[in-house]
Amino acid sequence: MSSNLQSFLPSYLLPRQSLKWSVFVALLVHVSGAIGMAFFNREFFVGFTAINLLLMFILLVWNEAELHFTFLKAILFAFFAGLFSEIIGVNTGMLFGDYHYSKVFGEKLMDVPILIGLNWFCIVYAAFQVILMMNKSAQLKRVTIALLTALMATIFDFVMEPVAIKLDFWQWHTPEIPFLNYACWFSISFLIALFFHWIGVKRSNPFAIYLFFTQLLFFVFLALTIS
């Protein structure tokens, strides 16, 4: 049996056909959501956060050039690494800091939304694809790629954190967002990126690059417009 899962898909579902539509959907969802949260009914649009995360994950999978088992391993590792790290963080405060999640992301496992695992995958995988795109000449070493991926993911979190608090995705029990949060984001993202490299994840998902910067601009816009 072929390990390439896309051998079972019809041609109109393959990535080359899906990229432009996926980018359109991502832009439509994030632009309408940003405008709605900033200028209309914030609570109404925040209510679609979990659906948006699932949709972006589906589009990310749909646009993967080769849906083989390497990609599945990448999803599972990032999902469980992120989820278990958050479970430790929420229940002990030893990772990230002292915080709790709201009900925005839906069902929880040990006080952590299950969808947070997908969020970790989407952010780190998209950042990894951005760095691979920048490394077209293959000059960067494995550790450097992982470090740059971790830096991009941490910058993303730095932009996202204040907005996420205002939108009640989660809340910190301290006056300021602790430095430990960003240190853990960097460290865990670094380990996930190293795993991606170790199993042979290639530059194979152009949508991931669009998704990373669309979401980053989404949070930048909200940081400038909501209070």
Side-chain angles (χ1 to χ4, degrees):
M1 181 180 293
S2 170
S3 62
N4 187 343
L5 301 180
Q6 286 185 337
S7 61
F8 299 98
L9 296 176
S11 60
Y12 61 84
L13 289 180
L14 295 178
R16 289 183 180 178
Q17 304 298 323
S18 68
L19 178 59
K20 61 182 180 180
W21 296 109
S22 299
V23 172
F24 172 76
V25 170
L27 288 173
L28 177 65
V29 168
H30 286 88
V31 170
S32 60
I35 293 173
M37 291 178 193
F39 304 117
F40 295 97
N41 190 329
R42 182 184 303 182
E43 291 184 2
F44 174 80
F45 285 92
V46 168
F48 290 96
T49 299
I51 296 174
N52 176 37
L53 178 54
L54 275 172
L55 177 59
M56 293 306 109
F57 170 72
I58 291 170
L59 292 178
L60 200 58
V61 173
W62 187 18
N63 284 275
E64 184 65 18
E66 294 184 4
L67 284 177
H68 44 53
F69 289 103
T70 296
F71 184 60
L72 179 60
K73 292 176 188 176
I75 294 173
L76 292 175
F77 183 83
F79 177 89
F80 286 110
L83 182 63
F84 289 152
S85 297
E86 298 270 5
I87 288 174
I88 294 171
V90 165
N91 289 279
T92 71
M94 295 175 62
L95 297 179
F96 304 103
D98 194 8
Y99 66 108
H100 73 271
Y101 279 97
S102 70
K103 299 179 180 180
V104 169
F105 291 98
E107 293 297 319
K108 297 179 180 179
L109 174 65
M110 298 183 67
D111 295 324
V112 175
I114 297 173
L115 285 180
I116 286 300
L118 287 186
N119 192 52
W120 271 93
F121 167 74
C122 290
I123 293 173
V124 181
Y125 188 77
F128 188 76
Q129 289 292 320
V130 171
I131 299 303
L132 290 184
M133 179 197 68
M134 296 168 60
N135 189 36
K136 291 180 180 180
S137 59
Q139 296 296 315
L140 298 178
K141 296 182 178 180
R142 177 183 302 182
V143 173
T144 304
I145 290 174
L147 286 171
L148 290 173
T149 298
L151 179 61
M152 288 202 68
T154 306
I155 290 172
F156 184 96
D157 182 64
F158 180 80
V159 174
M160 174 177 64
E161 283 288 344
V163 178
I165 294 169
K166 293 176 182 178
L167 298 179
D168 196 29
F169 289 178
W170 53 78
Q171 293 296 328
W172 292 95
H173 302 165
T174 51
E176 302 292 336
I177 301 168
F179 175 78
L180 178 62
N181 172 68
Y182 302 114
C184 288
W185 257 91
F186 185 89
S187 301
I188 296 165
S189 299
F190 175 73
L191 293 175
I192 293 173
L194 272 183
F195 181 81
F196 288 167
H197 216 309
W198 179 61
I199 63 174
V201 172
K202 306 296 183 183
R203 181 162 57 94
S204 55
N205 199 316
F207 175 71
I209 299 163
Y210 288 99
L211 178 62
F212 184 89
F213 289 107
T214 297
Q215 292 188 324
L216 183 63
L217 290 173
F218 169 82
F219 286 111
V220 169
F221 175 80
L222 289 178
L224 296 173
T225 55
I226 66 173
S227 57

